[in-house]
Amino acid sequence: REDLKGLYSALLVPFNEDGSVNEEGLRKIIRHNIDRMNIDGLYVGGSSGENFLLGKEEKKQIFEIAKDEAKDQIKLIAQIGSSNIYEAIELGKFVTDLAYDAISAVTPFYYRFNADEVYNYYKEITENVENDLIIYSIPLLTGVDMGIKDFERLFKLPRIVGVKYTSADFYLLERLRKTFKQQLIFSGFDEMLVPAVANNVDGAIGSTYNVNGIRSRQIFDAVKSNDLQKALEIQNLTNDFISAVLNNGLYQTLKYILQREVKSDKQFYSRKPMAQITEEQKQEAENIYQKFIK
Ligand code: NGF
């Protein structure tokens, strides 16, 4: 699936004060990604979309809006994974009918599933959904740590085409790249884009690309053309930005910046139990916006 390579924003979702999806805001964020960040694709329904706080119908609503707004202008990958496997399959079929380019599924979490259970989860999803699947590995949040043998078994499943790799284990990344040349590997940590591209990943998927997409593309291209000094310079600046954002509250700050960028007069709320941005955080978010993005 060469066509899936590239830089993807993990789509942020704005909510209204009552917790419902702010459709107008969401459409504006999608347009911003396409028209101004020149992103290759969107990863819809990931951590950045606060997906694991949502009900099934709300997830469907977001998948529909994203497809309706983006049409075929960019690639769309839907994260349909859930510890409720029947929901994952239903959502997988739903987005496949909407003509999403691929699906992705987080490893099942909460209960400490063993390697066979994780394998059977992907087997069942891929047997029931007629679309290519990208494994979503994010051990920091799920507690599911997979080794090379686990990936080897999973990559033999016919519809699995790659992994979104959100981990700082660069030894494992190097081993995966060397061993599985045909699989797509997407880097998940935006602050580690330089070492990821140096390890020949096929693309990257991240939250900060929603607002810092242009610099991130420059990092990607500079490493690819062996200009490590330039790549590091931009990564250094990018990481000043990312650490400021992380210190101030990741999704709250990114959504504040997006609200400014798309000129929405309605606040982009987070989904409870995620905290809402405070006045103090807003001020710091404004400073970050002025310093790094505007
Ligand atoms: O937000 C997290 C949590 N990770 C994202 C990304 O790997 C996953 C990453 O971009 C994601 O965005 C999604 O599934 O929607 C970070 O936000 C970024 O590198 C700052 O640390 O780890």
Side-chain angles (χ1 to χ4, degrees):
R1 291 295 306 266
E2 289 276 314
D3 62 306
L4 289 177
K5 291 182 176 183
L7 207 62
Y8 289 66
S9 287
L11 185 64
L12 285 145
V13 176
F15 295 91
N16 297 310
E17 197 172 3
D18 66 2
S20 59
V21 175
N22 173 348
E23 175 166 350
E24 193 191 341
L26 181 58
R27 286 182 184 273
K28 284 184 174 167
I29 293 176
I30 294 165
R31 285 258 61 87
H32 174 76
N33 269 298
I34 299 172
D35 301 334
R36 294 182 52 207
M37 295 293 103
N38 294 325
I39 217 77
D40 297 310
L42 288 172
Y43 187 80
V44 187
S47 321
S48 303
E50 295 165 58
N51 173 76
F52 304 106
L53 310 177
L54 306 181
K56 187 175 70 183
E57 294 309 316
E58 293 169 306
K59 294 179 188 180
K60 286 185 177 176
Q61 184 193 359
I62 292 164
F63 289 136
E64 266 177 335
I65 294 169
K67 180 66 189 181
D68 184 62
E69 189 60 51
K71 307 263 178 336
D72 295 324
Q73 285 188 273
I74 51 167
K75 297 285 167 198
L76 289 178
I77 300 175
Q79 194 301 116
I80 52 86
S82 161
S83 292
N84 177 345
I85 193 167
Y86 301 104
E87 177 179 305
I89 291 169
E90 185 180 328
L91 291 174
K93 289 179 174 165
F94 182 78
V95 297
T96 301
D97 288 344
L98 286 174
Y100 270 64
D101 297 282
I103 57 170
S104 179
V106 72
T107 50
F109 56 91
Y110 189 76
Y111 300 101
R112 297 247 157 216
F113 297 108
N114 64 35
D116 285 343
E117 289 169 319
V118 172
Y119 175 80
N120 287 329
Y121 163 88
Y122 284 107
K123 185 166 182 288
E124 183 125 3
I125 294 175
T126 51
E127 280 173 357
N128 284 284
V129 181
E130 287 180 33
N131 208 336
D132 290 335
L133 183 144
I134 292 159
I135 296 165
Y136 180 10
S137 174
I138 181 161
L140 183 80
L141 292 183
T142 58
V144 181
D145 232 328
M146 294 195 290
I148 191 128
K149 291 266 170 269
D150 302 313
F151 280 109
E152 185 176 14
R153 186 148 77 125
L154 285 167
F155 286 157
K156 285 191 182 132
L157 288 169
R159 285 201 175 107
I160 293 197
V161 295
V163 59
K164 164 166 156 41
Y165 184 86
T166 304
S167 162
D169 183 343
F170 282 93
Y171 175 43
L172 179 58
L173 177 62
E174 182 274 338
R175 291 288 83 192
L176 288 172
R177 179 69 301 167
K178 163 113 198 313
T179 317
F180 306 109
K181 300 203 170 50
Q182 302 309 316
Q183 293 286 329
L184 295 167
I185 303 180
F186 293 97
S187 156
F189 274 131
D190 318 1
E191 53 278 50
M192 302 175 205
L193 191 54
V194 167
V197 184
N199 272 290
N200 270 322
V201 293
D202 300 292
I205 300 170
S207 62
T208 65
Y209 306 147
N210 283 273
V211 297
N212 193 47
I214 304 292
R215 276 192 205 112
S216 307
R217 169 89 60 196
Q218 289 167 349
I219 296 173
F220 206 100
D221 292 347
V223 180
K224 279 281 169 213
S225 53
N226 285 323
D227 193 345
L228 202 52
Q229 196 178 334
K230 180 178 173 195
L232 270 176
E233 260 167 40
I234 311 172
Q235 183 82 74
N236 288 154
L237 176 63
T238 284
N239 287 2
D240 288 344
F241 165 68
I242 294 180
S243 45
V245 168
L246 288 173
N247 282 336
N248 196 50
L250 175 64
Y251 304 133
Q252 290 87 347
T253 308
L254 291 178
K255 283 205 262 195
Y256 176 90
I257 295 173
L258 274 169
Q259 193 195 326
R260 294 282 273 115
E261 281 286 86
V262 306
K263 299 186 174 56
S264 168
D265 34 344
K266 269 174 92 185
Q267 179 170 330
F268 288 176
Y269 287 87
S270 292
R271 177 69 175 225
K272 287 179 196 168
M274 208 75 89
Q276 304 309 332
I277 192 164
T278 63
E279 283 310 312
E280 210 179 313
Q281 281 174 304
K282 271 189 198 168
Q283 273 185 13
E284 176 58 10
E286 180 63 28
N287 293 339
I288 296 170
Y289 174 59
Q290 296 292 338
K291 186 166 175 195
F292 295 102
I293 303 296
K294 199 164 183 267

